[in-house]
Amino acid sequence: FFAVNARFVFGGEPQDVMQAIENGEFVKDEHVTVNVNAVLENYAFTKHRINGIIPIGTDQHYMIRLENNAIVSLKVKNKRIIHKLDDIQEKTWDCMNGYSKTLPTGVKIQGRISTIHPEVEGYYSTVLSFLGLSDSDIPIYYVEIDTTETKGKAIVEILLLFALSVACVFSALQLYKKMKQSK
């Protein structure tokens, strides 16, 4: 886990998504930065619950257009970013319908490339068909940029795993001492 996330945690800012696509590094589990200035649709949401009862949050899934006109999914949990994306979506459609001449100012977001959950992918495909994009020449990526995977979360996970490893080594040494004393 540390080896996979070390470059993300200790490195600088992840590479831009457009650069990753050009370099052929737009692959699962890579961390990227994306400038979102065109949101086509908030096409799904995922509710998370503990034991199916206690709600612990909701992820919103957005269909965004990249700078090369490609379409990709974006998963967001942060309410502040959700409000910005909803505003960008409204302004994107104003531009597409001719009410505005320019796309809105974008928001820069970091995330990890992951596969779309199969149930959510069904909604993604349906909305693509509804918008007439599935039969077009526009590149469509069936992956998701997961913005819930943040540096802070990765650091906490690394620290917890490190503490667990130290506790395991300490327990093993204590057990070894007891075995040696009982002989």
Side-chain angles (χ1 to χ4, degrees):
F1 183 81
F2 180 75
V4 170
N5 288 303
R7 191 172 79 188
F8 174 58
V9 171
F10 299 112
E13 191 170 309
Q15 71 174 325
D16 185 71
V17 70
M18 297 309 299
Q19 193 176 34
I21 290 171
E22 289 172 12
N23 296 340
E25 297 172 356
F26 190 63
V27 293
K28 187 177 176 232
D29 294 330
E30 284 295 317
H31 292 274
V32 294
T33 301
V34 61
N35 184 34
V36 181
N37 66 349
V39 176
L40 300 178
E41 195 65 45
N42 180 348
Y43 69 93
F45 64 91
T46 307
K47 288 189 176 191
H48 299 283
R49 298 180 181 274
I50 297 173
N51 294 329
I53 300 170
I54 304 167
I56 58 170
T58 303
D59 297 334
Q60 297 291 330
H61 302 270
Y62 289 88
M63 185 179 296
I64 64 170
R65 191 187 83 197
L66 300 175
E67 294 168 17
N68 65 352
N69 289 330
I71 307 296
V72 70
S73 180
L74 182 73
K75 179 179 172 182
V76 181
K77 190 173 199 165
N78 184 312
K79 291 183 193 271
R80 185 179 55 81
I81 295 174
I82 289 171
H83 289 301
K84 285 183 181 179
L85 292 175
D86 289 341
D87 184 52
I88 291 171
Q89 178 180 340
E90 186 178 317
K91 290 177 180 175
T92 299
W93 281 102
D94 285 348
C95 182
M96 291 173 68
N97 291 328
Y99 302 129
S100 172
K101 295 184 188 216
T102 59
L103 284 172
T105 307
V107 59
K108 199 170 192 178
I109 304 173
Q110 292 182 3
R112 191 171 117 210
I113 301 168
S114 63
T115 56
I116 302 175
H117 188 277
E119 192 173 314
V120 174
E121 187 175 343
Y123 293 114
Y124 186 65
S125 297
T126 301
V127 172
L128 283 169
S129 295
F130 179 75
L131 294 175
L133 297 171
S134 57
D135 296 330
S136 68
D137 293 336
I138 296 173
I140 299 171
Y141 295 105
Y142 284 86
V143 293
E144 188 162 60
I145 300 173
D146 185 355
T147 65
T148 63
E149 297 289 329
T150 63
K151 276 189 182 186
K153 183 179 177 182
I155 289 169
V156 167
E157 288 173 343
I158 288 171
L159 290 175
L160 285 173
L161 289 173
F162 180 73
L164 183 63
S165 345
V166 168
C168 287
V169 169
F170 181 75
S171 295
L173 289 174
Q174 292 298 326
L175 183 62
Y176 179 72
K177 284 180 182 179
K178 283 183 181 182
M179 287 176 57
K180 196 171 183 180
Q181 288 175 355
S182 66
K183 286 184 180 184

